[in-house]
Amino acid sequence: MVSQTETAKTDIGFTHEDFAALLDQYDYHFSPGDVVPGTVFSMEQRGALIDIGAKTAAYIPVQELSINRVDNPDEVLQPNETREFFILTDENEDGQLTLSIRRIEYMRAWERVRQLQQEDATVYSNVFATNRGGALVRVEGLRGFIPGSHISAKDAKEDLLGQDLPLKFLEVDEERNRLVLSHRRALVERKMNGLEVAQVVVGSVRGIKPYGAFIDIGGVSGLLHISEISHDHIDTPHSVFNVNDELKVMIIDLDAERGRISLSTKQLEPEPGDMLKNRDLVFEKAEEMAASYREKLSAASEAREEAAAAVEEETVEVEVVENVATEETNEVVEETTTTDEELTSTVTE
């Protein structure tokens, strides 16, 4: 006869330990840095609980909901919504993981701006703040900086607040969290589409430095270096120009990659020193002197092409001579070999 004690022992089935072991058998391993799918389980005041298949619902705080500022979770998430989440931290003492959407958006934003930089794309962004060094914008949600030297000289930094500016990338460095952009480069590139070397343009002096004068030409700035003001020696550009002077200048170089326009009045002088002695004459004869400058450039270009063609022709002739010499040498070797074979055959006979 089986006792009641033995029956009780037999009826004891699944213990708590067995149940925990079974859960562990089917539990997934989650690590910080993983990107996993999850479903919104519960909306909280300062975050949300997310079911990602772990024993305990994971938590995403409001500051990790977006790369942009978010005040309430329902601005980003909806109940029962399923999407990707980044595992930000390991389990706490309650076995709960912390998640992030912001980190996913952050990684994808850097990937996108790197691609835009490689394509040398122009992007548009709104100026949300300025400081002594320059202006602040956001590109793909990332905070970017425009140095003062790369802001159009036409506008004061404070006047740019709220404006959408065309921008070019100067530096994209995710490791150092540096995103540096140029408004001037974008403007110069746009302006350069209608400019060419040896073209005469009208500009206004916007700034004077010891090394030259900055000339505003239609909203972009070009440098009239001190060495390109006149054939005669000049101690300082301040002795020649004043701010707001209007000038006729000639473009002598366009550097779209660096966003620079180089200008000259020296090349427009009918006689050396005319920019210092008779500026009106220089401006009167500007188009005529520019046409002469273009002819010189064209002649120099043709001379370079002819020289390159001559070098190429000489190279071809040398190769032909070498080939002929090689063929003749091979023929001599073949004849010598044949003669040796005939001589050997005769001796054998």
Side-chain angles (χ1 to χ4, degrees), residues 125-131 134-138 142-147 151 160-163 165 167 179 181:
S125 185
N126 188 274
V127 176
F128 69 85
T130 61
N131 55 34
L136 300 175
V137 295
R138 292 194 182 278
L142 300 173
R143 192 163 103 160
F145 177 65
I146 311 171
I151 295 175
L160 297 176
L161 276 174
Q163 289 192 35
L165 302 182
L167 302 168
L179 181 59
L181 304 112

Side-chain angles (χ1 to χ4, degrees), residues 81-343:
E81 176 187 358
T82 298
R83 61 177 299 162
E84 287 185 329
F85 295 89
F86 181 93
I87 298 180
L88 193 62
T89 65
D90 216 334
E91 295 179 353
N92 60 17
E93 61 274 10
D94 297 324
Q96 189 174 64
L97 294 163
T98 301
L99 305 179
S100 174
I101 296 172
R102 183 181 69 88
R103 189 61 64 89
I104 294 176
E105 293 179 344
Y106 189 77
M107 292 187 298
R108 290 176 179 169
W110 278 109
E111 182 180 349
R112 177 61 178 153
V113 295
R114 281 194 295 269
Q115 179 184 355
L116 291 170
Q117 183 192 36
Q118 291 174 358
E119 295 171 357
D120 195 28
T122 298
V123 296
Y124 287 81
S125 185
N126 188 274
V127 176
F128 69 85
T130 61
N131 55 34
R132 290 180 61 187
L136 300 175
V137 295
R138 292 194 182 278
V139 179
E140 298 291 325
L142 300 173
R143 192 163 103 160
F145 177 65
I146 311 171
S149 59
H150 281 271
I151 295 175
S152 168
K154 189 176 181 180
D155 301 307
K157 292 197 295 285
E158 295 73 18
D159 295 337
L160 297 176
L161 276 174
Q163 289 192 35
D164 285 327
L165 302 182
L167 302 168
K168 286 285 190 179
F169 292 94
L170 292 178
E171 183 179 356
V172 176
D173 190 337
E174 182 179 359
E175 290 185 3
R176 298 171 62 194
N177 196 30
R178 282 176 59 87
L179 181 59
V180 186
L181 304 112
S182 173
H183 177 41
R184 181 166 57 83
R185 259 198 68 192
L187 289 178
V188 170
E189 182 179 273
R190 182 191 296 174
K191 185 69 178 178
M192 279 184 181
N193 291 333
L195 298 177
E196 58 184 22
V197 173
Q199 179 181 355
V200 175
V201 292
V202 177
S204 177
V205 178
R206 286 289 176 250
I208 302 174
K209 301 292 183 181
Y211 53 83
F214 287 97
I215 314 298
D216 178 72
I217 49 175
V220 295
S221 182
L223 176 63
L224 176 57
H225 193 269
I226 188 171
S227 62
E228 285 295 333
I229 294 176
S230 176
H231 285 87
D232 282 2
H233 175 74
I234 296 171
D235 292 325
T236 170
H238 288 87
S239 63
V240 184
F241 303 121
N242 293 309
V243 173
N244 295 326
D245 280 357
E246 286 200 354
L247 311 174
K248 274 189 177 181
V249 292
M250 186 177 71
I251 298 169
I252 57 173
D253 186 56
L254 293 169
D255 189 342
E257 185 174 341
R258 300 171 69 184
R260 292 182 179 178
I261 301 175
S262 299
L263 307 170
S264 176
T265 51
K266 179 172 77 172
Q267 305 301 332
L268 299 179
E269 291 183 321
E271 297 292 335
D274 278 347
M275 263 307 288
L276 309 180
K277 304 167 189 172
N278 193 348
R279 187 185 301 187
D280 291 340
L281 177 64
V282 174
F283 297 160
E284 181 184 336
K285 298 284 187 179
E287 281 74 14
E288 182 181 330
M289 296 301 297
S292 176
Y293 184 81
R294 282 192 290 271
E295 290 177 2
K296 292 177 183 177
L297 287 181
S298 178
S301 177
E302 290 178 2
R304 285 194 298 271
E305 290 176 1
E306 289 176 0
V311 170
E312 185 177 349
E313 187 176 342
E314 289 178 3
T315 303
V316 171
E317 289 178 355
V318 169
E319 289 178 352
V320 170
V321 170
E322 288 178 348
N323 290 337
V324 170
T326 301
E327 290 174 1
E328 291 177 349
T329 301
N330 290 338
E331 289 176 0
V332 170
V333 171
E334 288 176 1
E335 290 177 0
T336 304
T337 303
T338 303
T339 304
D340 289 343
E341 289 176 352
E342 292 175 352
L343 180 61

Side-chain angles (χ1 to χ4, degrees), residues 49-68:
L49 294 174
I50 310 297
D51 179 12
I52 61 170
K55 287 188 245 183
T56 304
Y59 181 71
I60 180 167
V62 67
Q63 63 267 25
E64 290 296 331
L65 283 171
S66 175
I67 200 171
N68 300 309

